[in-house]
Amino acid sequence: MSTPLTEAFAERMQSVGGRISYTTAEGLAETLGGLVERDRPVLFTPELRDLARQLRDVGHEAYVGTREGVAEQTEAAFEGVLERAGTGVSGSLLGISSTGSIAVGPGGGNGGLLIAFPPHSVIILQADSLRKNLAEALPEVERRFDELDGEAVFVSGPSRTADIEMMSVVGVHGPTGLDVIIVEGKEA
Amino acid sequence: MATTSKRNLREEIHRSLEDETLQRAITSAMATLFERRKGALESIDFEETRLEARRLKEEALERNPELLEQLVRKVEGYGGKVFLAKDGVAARTYIADLAVEKGVKTVVKSKSMVSEEVHLNAALEEEGIEVVETDLGERIIQLAHERPSHLIVPAVHKTKDQIIELFARTMGVENPPTEAEDLTRLVRDDLRPRFMKADMGVTGANFVVADTGTLVIVENEGNARLSTQLPPIHVAITGIEKIIPSLEQLGTFLELLPRSGTGQLLTAYVSLITGEPSTDVLDMGRANGGQVTEREFHLVLVDNGRSEAREDPELREALYCVRCGACLNACAPYNQVGGHVYGVDPYPGGIGCAWTWITKGPDSAKEINGLCTTCSRCTEVCPSMIDIPWLNTVIKQRNNERLGMKFRDRVFARADLLGDVSSPFAPVVNAVMKTPLAKVPMGRIGIDRTRKMPEYARETFEDWFQKRGQVTVREPRREAAMFVDCFINHNKPHVGEAAVQVLERVGVKLELAHNECCGRPAMSQGSLDKPRAWAKKNIERLYQLVQEDKDILFIEPSCLSSIRDDYRRLLENEGEETMRKLDQIEERSWDVTEYFLHLVKEERLDLHLRPLDETFVVHGHCHQKSMGIGSVPGEALRLIPEADVIDVNALCCGMVGSFGYKEEYSELSRAIGQRLFDKLNEHEGTVVASGISCQSQIGEGTERDPKHPMEILIKAFA
């Protein structure tokens, strides 16, 4: 059930090395399970606590990616889990179709870290939160700025550099892989 | 701050031109950046967007003191600390003291030009603190103990092979990988533990939002993300000019900055950060001996000459720079020698010269000031529409005033006088100028003796025009006046004659404008008083012509560009009446070829041109390009049946008025020219160039005889 907005978004995101999956709210856990490495921890922003539990239920080492979240489940230090983590999973505020970007909020604390630190980043985007362009998206972020504690990151693809002879290399300090899961509503 | 050692720029230029590795590195990178930018701009209306950006920058700077106060209140309100650093020493001392006080052992830094400006790393290292640049390019130059040579690609001057060798030497890797991807991975793996254990992260900021106290950081690598999220203390250091009123303005800047800089629609990460991050503090720093357990946010706002520049009506616009580097990629001298030669630590290029004046003072700026050829290609691409050539002209003038003007430059400034004196004795002058006798004093005053000086014609264009008396143009379509420029008049009158004949064929009744020199030869030597006086006279004279319903036609694009672009700045203080006249003059002013083409199109003229079975290889004049009429010569020639017209795409011919004649720049001028010559020489046929100094340079470099489009067109009319 793709729309011109999701199609344009996907095309842009893919052109800079992001991968796109489509799913529904019901299929989310399964889709996610297919994307993450089995033998490394998966860290979630707190609003995705349920999703973390669903992954744990099928055998993944999955945590809410905060000091408390990790402490609730294991003796291991938060730092250690973070360093071992294969994937960081984060929700999002909205997507921008024309630039292929996603705005991510503070994610209950460590959101900003979870999209940048683990080698693999997954961001979940609700299809109906897609906006046409920056001009439509920015005022919305601005309106919600207080509730976001003034923290937002526009992510457009995995981290990259061209500092050696202008050759594009994906995955410098941030993730090498970025998966965007677009969650679509039921067919109308 | 005075410079400690005087640079030998001529030697530096020579060395960089001989350095094949450097040449290879810069050439390919610049071309890539230039093309990527062009592609990215297709999705927006660049002119409209940058007009808006310029307006926003002007407004923000106008309100700067008030916005600064608001920002301080806001940041302090949420518990951040703000330090206003009046200069570089204050800024680096504050941060170094803070690091010492907090027991910081390791600082990770993401890219910040301001931190380079204030020499922050040295100050921290003096305290025994490990400073780690984390941007890949910055890390490369940190390991090499160099300074950035480009605003956004700091290690652009290095090839991959040099980087491999550097990593082997400095990172203790015996057999470093050879692919860019693996080299990047090597740095990632080396820096990860340092990120983890760092107690302090230092970043810059591309924008700072006053009414929310928010930093905006635009980046691709994710190192700014990690530098702000992992260490307990985040210090942001930036210039006071980066403050914008609210998030509302951000959209316009974000449309332009990534597109202009890297040719991206948006960079991988654009972070909006307000205060200390909510991220959990890691224990790694403390394990390393750091004592920080709480999060802290410090904002260091650096003045360092910016307030003074803000009060300076001529230099003020340098403060609109968003550091995208597009101007460097478009700059012919930069493309040849790179930012280590064309730059003063840390700011490269023509914009860097202005920033050097602002942050380091006149003496430092003087050294690279002459490298700006005022071709205006930078202004064409600048997202803030900064008139970089004018900034450099003003700096040249101020340094002339402070230190006196070279005799040679005084001579070059008076193209009008030279012509007046030489024309009557043309054969003698031409003969003498070719003798060794003349070459000696030329060399002595700093003119490259191997250059051929332009020859003078005995009969000037003006004399020719007057002598032929009244010419009847039957049923004239338009009336126009020819702006007589010094070089056409004295050196190349036949080009003027061709132009007159072509225009009369299409029904233009012509007269002479009886103008003064446009002033460009003097302005490009940094002499502004005479041009100002001439400009005033020219405006009165040209305005009178406009009142008489006449158009004004220019053969030399540089003269037209003076009137369109420079008079406004030259006469800034003359008041609205002058500006109004200038508006009307501009509306009626045309490049001759542009005018011809316009008439043909508008009047749907059937020219019945004679077919010319020839190839024309066209070089576009820099000022034609900067005025948006770069395609005009080629288009005009394509009207000729059977003519094969090839537009050659090069940055600049490299002569640029007197630039190529100056001994310190002539080697550079020839190197710039060589790129054009090579392209021209790929094709047989007649070379076409609209500029007089372009013609001299191409003539010398290719041993071909370039023609003005009007000289070709008149052949097709015969």
Side-chain angles (χ1 to χ4, degrees):
Chain A
M1 194 209 59
S2 60
T3 66
L5 275 189
T6 46
E7 271 169 30
F9 169 84
E11 196 190 316
R12 287 272 170 235
M13 181 52 96
Q14 284 162 340
S15 75
V16 291
R19 293 179 295 253
I20 304 283
S21 312
Y22 296 91
T23 189
T24 56
E26 293 73 27
L28 182 55
E30 197 188 331
T31 306
L32 179 63
L35 296 174
V36 300
E37 266 185 75
R38 208 155 243 293
D39 49 359
R40 297 180 75 174
V42 185
L43 295 175
F44 290 79
T45 49
E47 81 273 20
L48 301 175
R49 187 174 290 272
D50 280 349
L51 199 55
R53 189 180 40 73
Q54 284 173 279
L55 250 72
R56 220 165 25 242
D57 289 346
V58 292
H60 286 276
E61 192 184 348
Y63 304 97
V64 168
T66 61
R67 192 172 292 285
E68 292 75 34
V70 169
E72 274 170 25
Q73 293 167 46
T74 167
E75 297 283 301
F78 168 63
E79 289 78 7
V81 175
L82 181 66
E83 275 192 288
R84 276 198 304 124
T87 306
V89 187
S90 165
S92 63
L93 304 169
L94 52 81
I96 307 173
S97 175
S98 70
T99 57
S101 314
I102 311 172
V104 175
N110 287 340
L113 202 52
L114 296 191
I115 55 166
F117 193 89
H120 179 218
S121 165
V122 176
I123 303 178
I124 294 162
L125 177 71
Q126 302 298 325
D128 61 6
S129 75
L130 265 172
R131 303 292 171 261
K132 200 166 146 225
N133 51 31
L134 206 54
E136 275 186 20
L138 265 178
E140 202 170 318
V141 172
E142 203 184 334
R143 222 170 24 246
R144 296 169 62 182
F145 212 53
D146 281 341
E147 114 197 29
L148 299 172
D149 282 333
E151 227 178 295
V153 188
F154 293 90
V155 181
S156 314
S159 82
R160 57 194 174 275
T161 185
D163 273 346
I164 300 177
E165 287 190 359
M166 300 308 300
M167 286 178 274
S168 285
V169 176
V170 166
V172 197
H173 298 297
T176 314
L178 170 64
D179 274 290
V180 178
I181 303 180
I182 301 180
V183 182
E184 297 177 307
K186 290 211 176 72
E187 221 142 331
Chain B
M1 208 191 296
T3 45
T4 44
S5 63
K6 211 171 140 35
R7 290 170 61 173
N8 182 346
L9 201 63
R10 190 179 173 180
E11 179 56 31
E12 286 182 38
I13 290 170
H14 175 71
R15 260 187 283 129
S16 64
L17 292 175
E18 296 279 295
D19 184 342
E20 279 173 32
T21 318
L22 176 75
Q23 290 300 318
R24 214 174 40 243
I26 310 178
T27 311
S28 71
M30 291 301 101
T32 309
L33 283 167
F34 199 81
E35 286 307 311
R36 282 189 190 161
R37 171 189 167 275
K38 236 166 63 184
L41 285 175
E42 279 166 13
S43 50
I44 57 167
D45 183 333
F46 178 60
E47 288 305 324
E48 199 178 293
T49 317
R50 72 173 183 157
L51 259 173
E52 175 65 3
R54 169 72 182 214
R55 193 186 64 76
L56 295 173
K57 275 279 175 195
E58 284 180 8
E59 188 193 302
L61 199 69
E62 186 59 37
R63 292 178 55 197
N64 185 268
E66 161 213 339
L67 294 177
L68 181 69
E69 256 181 59
Q70 187 187 8
L71 174 67
V72 172
R73 270 201 313 275
K74 202 73 204 177
V75 175
E76 288 176 348
Y78 63 59
K81 305 219 168 48
V82 184
F83 180 70
L84 300 177
K86 68 174 191 328
D87 56 22
V89 177
R92 64 174 183 257
T93 308
Y94 174 82
I95 300 173
D97 287 353
L98 174 70
V100 171
E101 184 201 325
K102 301 287 175 185
V104 170
K105 297 276 182 290
T106 301
V107 173
V108 282
K109 275 184 71 200
S110 72
K111 193 167 163 25
S112 148
M113 290 304 291
V114 180
S115 76
E116 312 245 8
E117 174 191 323
V118 307
H119 299 294
L120 176 62
N121 292 11
L124 289 166
E125 280 160 2
E126 254 170 54
E127 301 295 343
I129 295 163
E130 181 195 24
V131 186
V132 185
E133 293 287 353
T134 60
D135 173 86
L136 177 59
E138 290 285 340
R139 182 65 178 162
I140 291 168
I141 58 167
Q142 185 185 31
L143 292 173
H145 300 289
E146 291 177 12
R147 62 178 170 85
S149 70
H150 190 282
L151 287 167
I152 60 158
V153 201
V156 72
H157 56 284
K158 290 214 173 298
T159 59
K160 195 176 72 177
D161 288 343
Q162 288 176 313
I163 294 167
I164 294 170
E165 187 274 325
L166 173 74
F167 285 176
R169 193 160 43 81
T170 57
M171 289 173 69
V173 191
E174 250 171 56
N175 290 309
T178 52
E179 296 303 314
E181 204 174 330
D182 302 321
L183 290 165
T184 305
R185 193 73 14 91
L186 183 69
V187 174
R188 177 193 173 105
D189 293 344
D190 182 60
L191 293 188
R192 268 294 162 115
R194 296 172 208 258
F195 269 120
M196 291 296 280
K197 71 175 186 187
D199 321 282
M200 180 187 275
V202 174
T203 71
N206 297 86
F207 309 96
V208 189
V209 184
D211 77 343
T212 55
T214 303
L215 304 177
V216 182
I217 304 179
V218 178
E219 58 139 352
N220 273 310
E221 296 188 1
N223 59 321
R225 289 266 81 223
L226 297 185
S227 301
T228 57
Q229 308 288 309
L230 287 171
I233 307 173
H234 173 203
V235 178
I237 176 169
T238 194
I240 55 166
E241 84 284 6
K242 295 284 171 63
I243 307 172
I244 59 173
S246 69
L247 285 169
E248 239 171 82
Q249 289 85 36
L250 197 56
T252 304
F253 296 121
L254 289 182
E255 297 277 13
L256 288 170
L257 177 57
R259 284 183 168 87
S260 303
T262 49
Q264 293 172 285
L265 303 184
L266 218 54
T267 53
Y269 303 102
V270 175
S271 298
L272 276 53
I273 297 171
T274 312
E276 70 259 31
S278 43
T279 323
D280 288 322
V281 178
L282 298 187
D283 276 330
M284 310 294 280
R286 272 179 291 158
N288 178 46
Q291 297 150 30
V292 197
T293 53
E294 298 285 314
R295 289 222 168 261
E296 282 184 32
F297 172 66
H298 297 253
L299 175 60
V300 180
L301 292 164
V302 179
D303 189 315
N304 203 24
R306 289 163 172 83
S307 292
E308 208 178 307
R310 182 180 165 271
E311 299 292 329
D312 183 330
E314 289 173 317
L315 293 186
R316 180 176 197 158
E317 71 176 278
L319 301 177
Y320 303 147
C321 177
V322 293
R323 309 264 193 270
C324 70
C327 55
L328 306 174
N329 313 340
C331 172
Y334 180 91
N335 268 255
Q336 290 291 339
V337 299
H340 285 167
V341 176
Y342 193 0
V344 178
D345 181 21
Y347 295 111
I351 187 68
C353 181
W355 272 91
T356 301
W357 176 289
I358 292 168
T359 58
K360 277 197 159 76
D363 287 328
S364 303
K366 179 179 176 288
E367 304 191 315
I368 54 162
N369 187 209
L371 279 168
C372 172
T373 64
T374 67
C375 77
S376 296
R377 298 296 296 278
C378 48
T379 308
E380 211 180 319
V381 297
C382 175
S384 301
M385 305 176 82
I386 301 173
D387 193 340
I388 298 170
W390 187 253
L391 288 170
N392 278 278
T393 301
V394 167
I395 288 172
K396 212 173 281 179
Q397 184 239 359
R398 291 184 184 185
N399 272 323
N400 282 341
E401 266 176 24
R402 277 178 350 112
L403 308 163
M405 194 170 166
K406 275 189 182 160
F407 175 73
R408 175 199 66 194
D409 296 355
R410 281 178 206 278
V411 173
F412 280 139
R414 295 307 302 269
D416 59 324
L417 265 187
L418 283 177
D420 287 346
V421 174
S422 306
S423 282
F425 314 103
V428 182
V429 174
N430 294 339
V432 170
M433 289 309 282
K434 285 179 196 152
T435 63
L437 200 70
K439 299 283 180 188
V440 173
M442 267 168 62
R444 200 153 288 163
I445 64 170
I447 296 173
D448 177 2
R449 293 156 60 161
T450 61
R451 283 285 192 190
K452 201 167 146 261
M453 297 309 275
E455 293 195 0
Y456 289 96
R458 192 164 209 170
E459 186 180 54
T460 64
F461 171 61
E462 269 178 326
D463 288 345
W464 171 83
F465 194 94
Q466 311 278 22
K467 218 191 265 176
R468 67 185 201 136
Q470 196 66 42
V471 172
T472 325
V473 176
R474 261 179 294 159
E475 295 172 32
R477 290 189 171 84
R478 297 278 203 285
E479 283 188 55
M482 301 291 291
F483 187 94
V484 179
D485 71 77
C486 308
F487 294 100
I488 292 289
N489 196 30
H490 296 291
N491 306 95
K492 301 245 174 175
H494 57 279
V495 174
E497 290 162 30
V500 166
Q501 285 162 4
V502 167
L503 292 164
E504 286 177 349
R505 298 286 174 104
V506 291
V508 184
K509 185 171 176 239
L510 288 167
E511 63 184 277
L512 296 179
H514 296 293
N515 51 278
E516 302 288 334
C517 171
C518 71
R520 179 172 291 278
M523 286 191 278
S524 53
Q525 310 307 325
S527 162
L528 299 184
D529 293 343
K530 276 258 155 31
R532 199 167 275 128
W534 291 330
K536 282 190 219 168
K537 279 194 188 165
N538 279 338
I539 285 183
E540 290 315 314
R541 174 69 195 125
L542 301 182
Y543 185 66
Q544 190 191 334
L545 290 164
V546 169
Q547 295 290 90
E548 293 164 11
D549 198 24
K550 287 166 188 158
D551 296 314
I552 303 145
L553 310 183
F554 294 76
I555 298 174
E556 170 59 59
S558 296
C559 298
L560 176 58
S561 149
S562 293
I563 300 210
R564 278 198 190 163
D565 302 326
D566 299 330
Y567 276 20
R568 211 161 281 282
R569 300 188 176 271
L570 198 57
L571 303 174
E572 213 154 28
N573 302 323
E574 291 296 311
E576 273 176 36
E577 177 65 9
T578 304
M579 291 302 140
R580 195 182 56 81
K581 285 181 181 170
L582 201 48
D583 283 341
Q584 293 190 35
I585 291 168
E586 267 181 38
E587 214 159 280
R588 300 296 295 260
S589 295
W590 300 80
D591 167 270
V592 274
T593 317
E594 177 193 19
Y595 191 66
F596 167 78
L597 199 64
H598 170 77
L599 273 187
V600 172
K601 281 185 189 162
E602 195 174 88
E603 306 273 334
R604 295 165 192 252
L605 298 182
D606 199 350
L607 298 173
H608 300 294
L609 291 177
R610 191 164 68 89
L612 295 178
D613 183 15
E614 280 184 59
T615 302
F616 299 103
V617 194
V618 185
H619 162 63
H621 189 292
C622 288
H623 287 134
Q624 278 177 329
K625 290 177 193 158
S626 75
M627 290 185 291
I629 51 172
S631 62
V632 153
E635 265 183 74
L637 295 177
R638 284 194 183 90
L639 296 173
I640 303 172
E642 291 177 30
D644 181 18
V645 182
I646 299 162
D647 282 300
V648 162
N649 189 14
L651 273 182
C652 176
C653 74
M655 186 73 117
V656 218
S658 61
F659 181 77
Y661 291 101
K662 296 182 175 177
E663 61 174 6
E664 65 272 37
Y665 305 128
S666 65
E667 189 185 356
L668 172 57
S669 158
R670 287 191 170 105
I672 294 170
Q674 196 57 50
R675 295 194 182 180
L676 170 65
F677 308 153
D678 290 345
K679 289 188 176 175
L680 292 171
N681 285 337
E682 284 170 20
H683 311 279
E684 305 255 329
T686 306
V687 174
V688 179
S690 300
I692 299 304
S693 70
C694 308
Q695 289 188 0
S696 306
Q697 171 86 330
I698 295 169
E700 200 187 296
T702 61
E703 291 178 2
R704 291 161 83 171
D705 181 20
K707 302 286 183 203
H708 190 279
M710 289 292 146
E711 293 178 88
I712 310 292
L713 284 165
I714 194 62
K715 265 172 56 186
F717 271 108

